[in-house]
Amino acid sequence: MEQTSPKKNIKKFLKSFTREVVVPIILALIVIQYVIQAFQIPSGSMEDSLKTGDFLLGLKFTYGSPIPFSNQNFPGYAEPKHGDVVIFRYPGEPEYPDNNPKRYTHLFNALMLGNYYWDHAPEKGQPHLVHYADGPKDYIKRCVAVSGDRVAVHGGKLFLNGKRQDSLPAFGKWTANVRTLSPRDEVEEFVVPSAGDTLYVDSISMIKLWWLRSLVAQENPDSSVRLELSLLLNGRENNNYVFKDFRFPVENDRALLLNAMLSRNQTIIQQRLTLGDTLSGAMPFNYFRELAKIGFLPMIDSHDPDLNRGFTRPVSYVSFEGSILQDLDGNVKRLNVAVPAQDSTDSTEVVEKSHFEIQRNLYLGSEKINRYVVKYPQYFMMGDNRDNSADSRYWGLVSLRNIRAKAFVIYFSFENDDGKFALGKPWTWWRIPFRVRFTRIGKIIDLIK
């Protein structure tokens, strides 16, 4: 009986291994990189068009597949249009830890385990490997406006080019019974900028300035972007000023400011707060200055020795909304209101208060910029569940550079709103067949009406 040589056996094994394992892995990686993006609906912001627990596939090549080892994309065959359901990188979080692309290099995306970065200048006792487990996140919303459109929100209703949109796409819904002045219900009219438009730092409202900072950061991912605010008192810096009576409305986007106010003033709420109530207390200007400068708050203490004992250093951040800076601007203007002289018999006599103003400085890298020329088309995104969606009304525009994919099809759907199924609890696995939404599997997103 003829025996094959060990060399032939090795060659046969390598050929079979390459055909059965290596080639499929390479093809899968190519598909993941250039063709599709998997996405799970984590919240109810798109209900009832898309449900929590829907698993989607998005098409990357529609708007342009990413170029490996860069922050650029190949040209797509289309751009987002009105009504498209779009997967994009959330602009409210830094793309790099501490928003410092010079210090950190992105190594790889470990899918559900998050992103890993290399720290080129770790502090003493810190490892080089940094684990960004919960970011930067991808969001999914519906594109409701494109460059050149006039957009406003009044009473919770979208106004597009002056026309009120009284109907919602697919199975969208309104759920709120009370309307307030929060961005959810009120956004003053503006024009979505187009590529080539010039935006001026000193000529826009404070909330739009925050949107501009986000836009600049999205379009320049390899450069640091920071917004420096200074409080001027009669033309001189007074950043240590403390507002004795800082007022702001209790709204769903003011949680960060609410917690800071209660903590700093050691206030105990004696009665239930409702949306629209006004809260007041002492607040230092430097609190807002630091928030604006970094654009987010670290949730993990990077100097905690217990977190730096392993091979990786975890990082996590929480963003804040531009409405907080709008509150700041309003309180500074209140300082400049003239009041009647207290010891004068003439009620028309007034005493002018010292003049306060906020100085704005926006930096791209080390360069201070007074204006910015938009590089890419911009989009205004909203969730179909209009009263329960954190979207462009709060954090601003999405640049084409941040677009990841066009939502295409639901490949799986699993209902677990009550949390009674857990992968780590085998005794709950019997629920799986009863939790799968079989009627949603295979639904084309564009055909959900």
Side-chain angles (χ1 to χ4, degrees):
M1 184 175 180
E2 186 178 354
Q3 293 183 342
T4 56
S5 66
K7 187 176 288 187
K8 284 186 177 181
N9 285 335
I10 293 174
K11 186 176 181 180
K12 184 178 180 180
F13 169 77
L14 291 176
K15 185 176 180 180
S16 176
F17 181 80
T18 300
R19 182 178 66 250
E20 301 295 336
V21 179
V22 176
V23 171
I25 289 177
I26 292 175
L27 291 177
L29 291 175
I30 291 174
V31 169
I32 292 172
Q33 175 71 23
Y34 298 108
V35 182
I36 63 171
Q37 174 165 345
F39 187 86
Q40 177 188 354
I41 302 295
S43 70
S45 69
M46 286 293 291
E47 290 181 346
D48 287 321
S49 306
L50 299 176
K51 295 181 178 293
T52 304
D54 281 349
F55 291 76
L56 316 178
L57 292 180
L59 301 180
K60 289 185 175 182
F61 58 84
T62 302
Y63 305 135
S65 299
I67 299 175
F69 311 110
S70 78
N71 281 307
Q72 303 298 320
N73 288 348
F74 291 109
Y77 68 82
E79 292 184 355
K81 62 182 186 298
H82 299 94
D84 281 1
V85 178
V86 181
I87 301 170
F88 56 91
R89 175 169 288 175
Y90 170 48
E93 290 178 326
E95 290 196 27
Y96 293 84
D98 304 333
N99 196 28
N100 192 339
K102 291 185 178 179
R103 176 175 169 177
Y104 299 92
T105 297
H106 183 254
L107 297 178
F108 58 91
N109 184 336
L111 301 179
M112 295 182 69
L113 298 179
N115 287 272
Y116 286 85
Y117 296 79
W118 186 259
D119 185 353
H120 295 283
E123 297 181 16
K124 185 177 179 180
Q126 293 181 345
H128 282 276
L129 193 60
V130 176
H131 185 203
Y132 193 176
D134 57 353
K137 301 181 186 71
D138 285 342
Y139 271 21
I140 185 167
K141 305 290 179 187
R142 193 177 297 273
C143 176
V144 299
V146 301
S147 291
D149 284 339
R150 286 186 293 116
V151 176
V153 177
H154 298 303
K157 296 286 185 73
L158 171 69
F159 284 71
L160 184 61
N161 297 317
K163 185 177 180 181
R164 188 174 69 184
Q165 308 298 299
D166 289 321
S167 60
L168 291 173
F171 298 103
K173 59 186 179 182
W174 289 286
T175 58
N177 296 319
V178 178
R179 296 297 169 187
T180 67
L181 296 178
S182 72
R184 182 196 70 180
D185 299 326
E186 295 293 332
V187 176
E188 63 180 10
E189 185 176 79
F190 72 99
V191 177
V192 180
S194 304
D197 286 355
T198 301
L199 304 177
Y200 294 88
V201 172
D202 289 327
S203 64
I204 54 180
S205 67
M206 192 64 76
I207 193 168
K208 295 301 190 297
L209 175 62
W210 187 245
W211 290 11
L212 174 59
R213 179 206 171 280
S214 171
L215 189 157
V216 175
Q218 290 178 66
E219 296 195 340
N220 300 274
D222 294 323
S223 299
S224 61
V225 177
R226 72 184 191 277
L227 173 63
E228 290 197 358
L229 302 178
S230 299
L231 184 63
L232 302 185
L233 171 57
N234 297 326
R236 300 180 63 179
E237 280 195 12
N238 188 16
N239 294 325
N240 292 323
Y241 182 84
V242 177
F243 295 91
K244 295 180 180 179
D245 184 32
F246 189 95
R247 303 177 187 176
F248 66 96
V250 177
E251 300 288 358
N252 54 10
D253 60 330
R254 304 303 210 284
L256 191 64
L257 182 54
L258 178 63
N259 290 333
M261 171 72 77
L262 298 180
S263 174
R264 291 174 183 274
N265 291 272
Q266 298 183 341
T267 304
I268 299 177
I269 300 298
Q270 301 293 339
Q271 60 185 20
R272 181 180 178 183
L273 292 175
T274 59
L275 292 180
D277 286 349
T278 298
L279 198 63
S280 64
M283 284 296 292
F285 175 79
N286 268 323
Y287 170 79
F288 304 94
R289 175 178 166 83
E290 291 303 313
L291 273 183
K293 184 183 297 185
I294 60 177
F296 48 85
L297 282 179
M299 297 300 291
I300 298 176
D301 183 4
S302 61
H303 300 97
D304 187 342
D306 292 334
L307 298 176
N308 294 321
R309 290 177 177 174
F311 294 105
T312 65
R313 173 168 64 90
V315 295
S316 181
Y317 306 95
V318 60
S319 63
F320 77 100
E321 316 298 352
S323 51
I324 293 180
L325 297 185
Q326 188 177 21
D327 295 333
L328 172 66
D329 191 46
N331 278 273
V332 170
K333 290 178 179 177
R334 285 181 56 239
L335 296 175
N336 295 323
V337 176
V339 298
Q342 294 181 357
D343 55 354
S344 172
T345 57
D346 185 356
S347 62
T348 62
E349 183 181 348
V350 297
V351 176
E352 292 290 340
K353 289 188 175 182
S354 298
H355 183 71
F356 291 83
E357 63 178 315
I358 299 176
Q359 184 182 64
R360 314 166 172 193
N361 292 309
L362 184 61
Y363 291 88
L364 177 56
S366 59
E367 179 186 359
K368 177 184 174 182
I369 57 175
N370 298 316
R371 61 183 180 218
Y372 181 74
V373 179
V374 180
K375 298 179 180 179
Y376 300 96
Q378 306 294 315
Y379 305 96
F380 196 82
M381 306 288 186
M382 295 179 73
D384 286 2
N385 188 358
R386 289 292 161 86
D387 295 328
N388 296 281
S389 172
D391 50 39
S392 287
R393 291 171 290 182
Y394 297 94
W395 36 254
L397 302 167
V398 178
S399 172
L400 180 63
R401 204 208 67 81
N402 266 41
I403 301 294
R404 291 289 173 263
K406 180 180 180 181
F408 173 56
V409 65
I410 299 173
Y411 69 89
F412 186 68
S413 186
F414 190 79
E415 183 178 2
N416 193 33
D417 293 340
D418 56 10
K420 290 184 178 180
F421 167 80
L423 194 61
K425 298 178 180 178
W427 59 89
T428 67
W429 292 359
W430 66 270
R431 300 179 184 271
I432 292 177
F434 305 98
R435 295 301 182 97
V436 177
R437 301 187 187 108
F438 292 100
T439 58
R440 296 189 64 79
I441 296 176
K443 281 195 172 183
I444 305 299
I445 306 300
D446 281 350
L447 299 182
I448 297 177
K449 303 294 185 182

